Amino acid sequence: SGIALPQGEAAAPSGVDNYALELRDLPTVRSALTKIQPEYIFHLAGLVTTSPDQNRVLPMLEHNLVASVNLFNVASEIGCHRFIHTGTSEEKRTVGQASAPSSPYAASKRAATDYAMMFAELYELPVTVVRPYLAFGPRQPADKLIPYTIRCLLAGDRPSLNNPDIEFEYLYCDDVVRAFLTAALAQDAIGRIMDLHTGEKLSVRQIVQVLEEVIKNRTGAKEKPKTRPIDDPAKHSIDGWKPIWSPRSALAETVEWYKSDRERSVGTAK
């Protein structure tokens, strides 16, 4: 098995080959996939920012659309058992009367999903698009809401919040992984778009409040996953999958990881 990692990324796990690829270059993608001959492809690479800045248009086009189409092309040529493409809930956010994409990122991801469905219909690529909502957990970029807030609170600082009343569906990374694996094994998932709903929206303010409570009351014992109440099970379009981590349990687990990571960093610096 192989894994493609960005330049400078940590080494792949033992027993896994690491390939650093430029996905925007079709010959490079063709050479690598022809050598690897993957049975399952999980495509999570991309450039992510929801900024409407016009300077983002071409980078998003190249990194999210061109790179994805290159993978679709080569995978359909050499054949694979399943291709799982990562979409985003941002594809469904629109602006204006024409329901235009809300950002260059949203436009590039929506177009990539359209291409994925085209490859499924016209070229028999066994592709499934999985669209997580706001995923979180260990190793998120430091500027994202949850790691930023955790680091502030652990340091005794108050986080600065923009739009504290905006609401999202938050999904823990372990539930996302389970969804991807479920989609890869479900025979009826080919040619489909799978939206990973949680059935529960939380505001930024609520997330920060929960993190404050978890950090204030932390005893060192990890909370076990708890089944999250789902208001509408029919929302979950992957048969056999639903999120099992409650927001509080998932946030507590994430806090413990960042606390340990902070302690490791302090120890290394000594």
Side-chain angles (χ1 to χ4, degrees), residues 170-225:
Y170 292 85
L171 188 64
Y172 190 48
C173 57
D174 282 14
D175 282 327
V176 175
V177 171
R178 289 177 46 253
F180 272 70
L181 294 175
T182 301
L185 298 174
Q187 291 303 312
D188 62 348
I190 294 174
R192 292 177 58 189
I193 300 171
M194 308 297 195
D195 288 319
L196 304 184
H197 288 282
T198 66
E200 181 177 358
K201 286 187 176 182
L202 294 173
S203 69
V204 169
R205 190 189 311 277
Q206 288 174 307
I207 288 292
V208 173
Q209 288 173 345
V210 172
L211 287 171
E212 287 176 331
E213 294 169 3
V214 167
I215 289 174
K216 181 179 179 181
N217 299 322
R218 188 178 63 242
T219 62
K222 294 183 179 180
E223 294 189 37
K224 294 183 178 180

Side-chain angles (χ1 to χ4, degrees), residues 23-263:
L23 296 179
R24 294 172 294 175
D25 183 68
L26 181 59
T28 298
V29 174
R30 180 174 285 115
S31 175
L33 264 64
T34 299
K35 176 182 178 180
I36 300 169
Q37 291 292 313
E39 294 184 31
Y40 292 85
I41 299 174
F42 294 86
H43 176 33
L44 293 92
L47 189 61
V48 182
T49 175
T50 57
S51 168
D53 187 346
Q54 188 172 349
N55 291 326
R56 303 285 187 182
V57 171
L58 289 181
M60 293 295 170
L61 173 69
E62 295 172 357
H63 286 275
N64 295 336
L65 182 56
V66 173
S68 296
V69 172
N70 284 345
L71 283 168
F72 298 153
N73 253 320
V74 177
S76 65
E77 291 171 359
I78 67 173
C80 65
H81 186 65
R82 296 297 293 275
F83 191 120
I84 306 300
H85 174 73
T86 308
T88 172
S89 59
E90 288 292 316
E91 297 173 37
K92 303 168 76 173
R93 289 185 61 192
T94 59
V95 294
Q97 294 183 350
S99 296
S102 60
S103 66
Y105 171 69
S108 67
K109 295 297 288 184
R110 187 195 293 186
T113 290
D114 287 341
Y115 268 92
M117 295 298 97
M118 183 195 73
F119 268 85
E121 290 292 334
L122 300 185
Y123 312 124
E124 298 184 347
L125 179 67
V127 62
T128 302
V129 176
V130 178
R131 293 198 295 210
Y133 279 61
L134 206 158
F136 72 94
R139 297 183 178 86
Q140 260 194 304
D143 61 342
K144 298 299 183 181
L145 170 65
I146 291 173
Y148 162 73
T149 301
I150 291 173
R151 287 191 168 102
C152 283
L153 295 175
L154 289 176
D157 300 327
R158 292 290 302 171
S160 176
L161 304 179
N162 295 321
N163 302 319
D165 295 319
I166 190 170
E167 294 182 329
F168 298 100
E169 293 185 57
Y170 292 85
L171 188 64
Y172 190 48
C173 57
D174 282 14
D175 282 327
V176 175
V177 171
R178 289 177 46 253
F180 272 70
L181 294 175
T182 301
L185 298 174
Q187 291 303 312
D188 62 348
I190 294 174
R192 292 177 58 189
I193 300 171
M194 308 297 195
D195 288 319
L196 304 184
H197 288 282
T198 66
E200 181 177 358
K201 286 187 176 182
L202 294 173
S203 69
V204 169
R205 190 189 311 277
Q206 288 174 307
I207 288 292
V208 173
Q209 288 173 345
V210 172
L211 287 171
E212 287 176 331
E213 294 169 3
V214 167
I215 289 174
K216 181 179 179 181
N217 299 322
R218 188 178 63 242
T219 62
K222 294 183 179 180
E223 294 189 37
K224 294 183 178 180
K226 300 174 184 176
T227 301
R228 177 201 298 264
I230 302 300
D231 58 359
D232 182 7
K235 285 182 178 180
H236 305 290
S237 54
I238 303 179
D239 293 337
W241 177 88
K242 67 178 181 179
I244 64 172
W245 285 85
S246 72
R248 186 178 184 87
S249 295
L251 289 170
E253 189 80 359
T254 304
V255 165
E256 288 302 317
W257 187 90
Y258 279 101
K259 179 176 178 291
S260 298
D261 183 61
R262 184 169 180 265
E263 291 171 347

